[in-house]
Amino acid sequence: MLKSSPNGGTTRRDVSVDGELAVRHVQAWWAEGENAATVSEAYDRMQDGQLIDDDHYFSSGTGAVGKTSAACKSSRHPEQDLYGIVQVYSPGHSDEKAMKKLVLAYIKALDSSGACR
């Protein structure tokens, strides 16, 4: 797994299989007022997705975005909300139901993590 920080508010982890990018998961702080659909526009693998649960989640077969709860705040990122993003790059792997389940679990974990401090 390769960890990187493309900017001060984003952490990205890439998982490779046989030297090829298979899955990427991202934690990114976005301005308040954004929603999962607008955040999804900045990431690959979100084609043909749909909003879930009042704009808090966006899911396609190969990508998903979730917004953490309103209680997830950080003094380092005032007036921003934390989003979790998952992208699947492995060819032939597309499962919208699995992506929805994954992003819901990912956001639940982020909400109780140290990222929300």
Side-chain angles (χ1 to χ4, degrees):
M1 185 178 318
L2 177 64
K3 180 181 176 183
S4 63
S5 296
N7 62 50
T10 302
T11 302
R12 181 175 70 199
R13 289 179 175 84
D14 291 343
V15 178
S16 296
V17 175
D18 296 331
E20 298 291 327
L21 177 60
V23 177
R24 171 175 287 155
H25 65 95
V26 179
Q27 296 174 21
W29 291 92
W30 282 73
E32 289 178 342
E34 298 291 343
N35 64 46
T38 58
V39 171
S40 74
E41 293 173 3
Y43 295 92
D44 293 335
R45 316 305 291 164
M46 302 293 167
Q47 297 81 358
D48 300 322
Q50 60 183 332
L51 283 170
I52 307 161
D53 192 28
D54 297 330
D55 298 344
H56 279 87
Y57 301 95
F58 181 92
S59 179
S60 74
T62 56
V65 174
K67 180 180 178 181
T68 56
S69 70
C72 181
K73 294 295 178 187
S74 169
S75 59
R76 292 180 46 205
H77 304 284
E79 299 181 22
Q80 292 183 315
D81 295 315
L82 182 60
Y83 286 82
I85 299 97
V86 180
Q87 300 160 283
V88 176
Y89 288 89
S90 294
H93 290 83
S94 179
D95 186 335
E96 190 169 336
K97 186 176 176 180
M99 290 302 293
K100 179 180 175 183
K101 185 176 178 180
L102 177 61
V103 77
L104 292 172
Y106 186 25
I107 296 306
K108 183 177 179 180
L110 277 179
D111 270 330
S112 62
S113 75
C116 297
R117 296 190 211 323

